[in-house]
Amino acid sequence: MSGTFFSILPVFAIILIGYLAACWGAVPASVNRDLNRFVVWIALPALMFHIVATTDWHQLWDVDFVIASLAGSLITLALGTGIGRLRGLSIADMAVDGLNASYSNSAYIGLPLFLLAMGPRAAPYVIIGATVTLMAQFACGVVLIELGHHRHLGVGHALGKAATSMARNPVLVGPVLGFFWWLTGWTLPAPLEQCTRMLGAAASPTALVAIGLFLAERPLVEAVSNRFVLMLTAAKLIFHPAITALIAYPLLGMSSFTAAMVVAIAALPTGTGPFMVAAFYARDGKVTSGTILLSTMLSVLSLTAILSLLPR
C-alpha cells in the first residue's frame, strides 16, 4: 500500500502546491479561472485528441468497460438526486447533487494519476471514462435542470439544450475529433503530432495547480460540518466504486486490468464539472464546492486503498 501511496503522491502534491500558493498569497486564487480556461479550451482537448487519434481502438475498445462505467455512474447519480430530495431541493438542484455524487474527476486528476500508478495503457480507458460516461452524466444533469426550469417546454427542449451544451464543450469535442481522425487511418503529421503532444504535456500539471487554487477558495470547516457534503462525499468515494465493482467483477466477469480501471475511475473525487453547471444555472454551489474539496482531500487515502487491493 505504501508503494501505491507514493506512486500517486505527486498528483496530490501538485494540488497542494496550488492550494498553498493561494493561501500564502503567492498566486491569487482567482487565477484558477484563467488556468482552467487554458486547460479546458487548449491543453486538455489537445491531449485527448492526441491520445484518441493515436490509439488502436480495434484492440482496446471494451463494451463491458463502457457498460460498467455507465451503469455505476448513473446508479450513483440517482443516489445523489435522492440525497438532494432529502434536502428538500427542486429538480434542478437535485440534478446538481446527482452530479456531485457521480461526476469523477477523470480528466484533471485521473489522467496524471493513473499514468503514474498504472502506466500508459491506462490513458485510453480514462479517455473513455472522460467522454462516454461524462457525456451521459452531463446530459442527464442538464436535462433534469432544464426540465426543472422549463417544464412547460417539454423533454424535447431539455434534450436539445443538453445536446447543444455538449457540442460546445471542447473537452468532449477534442476526443471526438481524434476519433474521426483515427477512422481515416492516417498517421498524424509530425508537426501536428508534436504540437498536440507539447500542449497535452501542459494539461495535467496546469489542471492540478488550478484545482489547488480552486480548493483554496473553499472553507474546509464549512464542508466538514455539512452533513449533506459528507453524504455526497461518501456516495462518491465509497458507493460509486463499490457499485461499479459489483457490476464489473461478478456481473460482467471483466478481466483484472479493465475491471481495476473502471473501479478506480469511479473512485476518483468529484470533478469541477458540477460546480460549473451550478454556476451556469445560478444554483447554490456551497454543497457542490464542499463536496469537491472534501472528496479530493479524502481520495488520497481511498484511492491508495483501492489501487492497492484491486487485482491488476
Side-chain angles (χ1 to χ4, degrees):
M1 185 174 290
S2 62
T4 301
F5 174 78
F6 286 111
S7 71
I8 68 174
L9 185 59
V11 170
F12 293 96
I14 296 174
I15 294 175
L16 180 61
I17 288 170
Y19 182 88
L20 294 176
C23 291
W24 293 340
V27 179
S30 59
V31 170
N32 90 80
R33 296 167 182 81
D34 296 323
L35 292 180
N36 191 64
R37 288 184 67 84
F38 166 73
V39 173
V40 168
W41 285 95
I42 299 176
L44 192 54
L47 174 63
M48 297 177 85
F49 172 86
H50 184 277
I51 292 174
V52 174
T54 58
T55 294
D56 185 356
W57 292 105
H58 288 304
Q59 293 187 359
L60 282 176
W61 182 255
D62 191 317
V63 175
D64 285 345
F65 179 92
V66 175
I67 292 173
S69 182
L70 279 173
S73 296
L74 294 179
I75 291 171
T76 309
L77 188 146
L79 174 64
T81 59
I83 293 173
R85 186 175 179 83
L86 285 177
R87 295 173 61 197
L89 300 179
S90 65
I91 293 177
D93 290 308
M94 286 167 57
V96 175
D97 270 3
L99 293 175
N100 290 338
S102 63
Y103 197 99
S104 291
N105 201 336
S106 304
Y108 277 29
I109 294 180
L111 271 173
L113 188 147
F114 296 133
L115 283 172
L116 288 174
M118 303 176 113
R121 62 177 179 161
Y125 293 101
V126 180
I127 296 298
I128 296 174
T131 52
V132 178
T133 305
L134 295 188
M135 282 174 68
Q137 291 174 275
F138 189 78
C140 288
V142 171
V143 166
L144 287 174
I145 291 171
E146 287 292 337
L147 284 175
H149 278 305
H150 308 290
R151 188 187 300 269
H152 61 286
L153 296 177
V155 176
H157 169 82
L159 290 173
K161 278 285 189 178
T164 301
S165 297
M166 287 189 291
R168 293 176 177 174
N169 189 330
V171 176
L172 300 179
V173 171
V176 170
L177 291 177
F179 181 70
F180 282 126
W181 185 282
W182 174 79
L183 286 176
T184 67
W186 300 337
T187 302
L188 285 177
L192 179 59
E193 195 277 339
Q194 292 171 2
C195 178
T196 53
R197 183 188 296 275
M198 290 173 66
L199 283 172
S204 292
T206 306
L208 295 173
V209 171
I211 290 174
L213 296 173
F214 172 87
L215 297 180
E217 295 183 291
R218 274 74 204 170
L220 178 59
V221 174
E222 183 177 316
V224 174
S225 60
N226 189 311
R227 64 189 180 101
F228 294 112
V229 168
L230 297 175
M231 292 170 68
L232 290 166
T233 299
K236 185 70 201 72
L237 298 184
I238 300 174
F239 181 83
H240 193 180
I243 192 65
T244 304
L246 180 64
I247 296 167
Y249 287 102
L251 294 183
L252 295 178
M254 293 170 62
S255 66
S256 57
F257 181 77
T258 53
M261 280 303 309
V262 76
V263 174
I265 291 171
L268 288 167
T270 302
T272 55
F275 184 82
M276 295 177 185
V277 171
F280 181 81
Y281 285 98
R283 315 315 302 175
D284 184 6
K286 289 183 179 179
V287 168
T288 298
S289 60
T291 304
I292 295 169
L293 172 60
L294 192 59
S295 65
T296 300
M297 295 181 65
L298 294 180
S299 66
V300 182
L301 302 176
S302 61
L303 280 166
T304 298
I306 287 173
L307 290 173
S308 300
L309 295 172
L310 288 175
R312 294 181 244 171

